[in-house]
Amino acid sequence: MNNHPISNTPSHVNESVLATNKVIRNTYALLSMTLMFSGASAAFSMAMNLPHPGIIITLVGYFGLLFATMKLRNSAWGIVCIFALTGFMGLTLGPILTAYLSLPNGGLIVSQAMVATAVIFLSLSAYAITSKKDFSFMGGFLMVGIIVAFLAGLGAIFFAIPALSLGVSAMFVLLMSGLILYETSNIIHGGETNYIMATTSLFVAIFNLFTSLLHILGFLNGED
């Protein structure tokens, strides 16, 4: 008599679970590396006292490198592109951090924004992973919301409307929180099988979440 337990789980299900776990591991490993690289780029930008490149160069560089990452996501060049993208974003962040740190309460504001970003990201990621809820229904809403917030943000910059800029930052905090839930859920349920694109989405969410919280906290502390 055979006393070994017999698994009734189809082999293709086991393979799917293993593939999903691999994507999760690769995504968080690459995300950690890109966050460190972006932080190093920001520190370099601050040490060299580099000026902010301006909205036009920032947008061209961001969307150009984002397009390149998407185009090459299935090759080794995709890794190069995502580090180029996150490094570039770090360089643009450096001057912003320098400006905040020069304020009387700047160090506290930056620290609060970093801690809040970490808590939000870790909490939402843990919730999505442990609950295994499907947040794919948020996809359409997030896409429309991000486009609207992006256009409103451009309007706030070009027309110099501080109240609108603050409102956009609040919108981005909610939208990026939703994007973290959506993308994490997407990985778990097999909707996203490319860890380079999963990392890109999560990095962009973290970056925008941090800068938005920085703006809001700066305003609340009377420094923005």
Side-chain angles (χ1 to χ4, degrees):
M1 183 175 179
N2 188 356
N3 294 320
H4 295 290
I6 299 175
S7 174
N8 294 319
T9 304
S11 61
H12 68 85
V13 174
N14 289 328
E15 291 174 0
S16 177
V17 171
L18 290 173
T20 298
N21 290 338
K22 183 178 179 181
V23 173
I24 293 174
R25 289 196 304 271
N26 289 342
T27 296
Y28 282 99
L30 184 57
L31 180 62
S32 299
M33 289 186 286
T34 53
L35 285 170
M36 288 189 290
F37 183 67
S38 184
S41 298
F44 171 79
S45 179
M46 295 169 66
M48 299 300 293
N49 198 27
L50 298 179
H52 194 276
I55 186 64
I56 301 299
I57 294 178
T58 298
L59 291 179
V60 171
Y62 170 72
F63 283 110
L65 290 169
L66 180 61
F67 175 79
T69 303
M70 293 173 63
K71 191 73 174 177
L72 301 170
R73 64 185 180 275
N74 294 316
S75 71
W77 284 105
I79 300 290
V80 176
C81 288
I82 192 173
F83 274 100
L85 172 63
T86 55
F88 174 76
M89 293 174 74
L91 289 176
T92 64
L93 179 62
I96 297 174
L97 292 177
T98 298
Y100 274 95
L101 291 173
S102 66
L103 300 172
N105 294 323
L108 178 61
I109 294 171
V110 172
S111 298
Q112 289 175 336
M114 289 180 66
V115 170
T117 300
V119 169
I120 291 172
F121 173 73
L122 293 175
S123 298
L124 293 177
S125 297
Y127 176 72
I129 292 173
T130 55
S131 70
K132 299 189 186 306
K133 289 186 177 180
D134 188 356
F135 291 96
S136 60
F137 66 90
M138 298 173 64
F141 167 77
L142 288 171
M143 180 178 293
V144 173
I146 290 171
I147 292 174
V148 171
F150 174 72
L151 294 176
L154 289 180
I157 292 173
F158 287 115
F159 296 105
I161 308 175
L164 178 58
S165 180
L166 186 63
V168 169
S169 293
M171 287 177 62
F172 264 108
V173 169
L174 295 176
L175 289 168
M176 294 304 105
S177 297
L179 183 58
I180 292 169
L181 282 174
Y182 170 80
E183 191 60 38
T184 306
S185 170
N186 214 18
I187 298 170
I188 293 171
H189 293 93
E192 180 58 81
T193 58
N194 187 292
Y195 69 92
I196 291 179
M197 292 312 301
T199 300
T200 302
S201 295
L202 290 175
F203 181 91
V204 169
I206 292 171
F207 184 91
N208 285 314
L209 180 60
F210 173 68
T211 54
S212 296
L213 287 171
L214 197 61
H215 185 196
I216 293 172
L217 290 171
F219 175 81
L220 293 177
N221 281 271
E223 303 289 355
D224 210 9

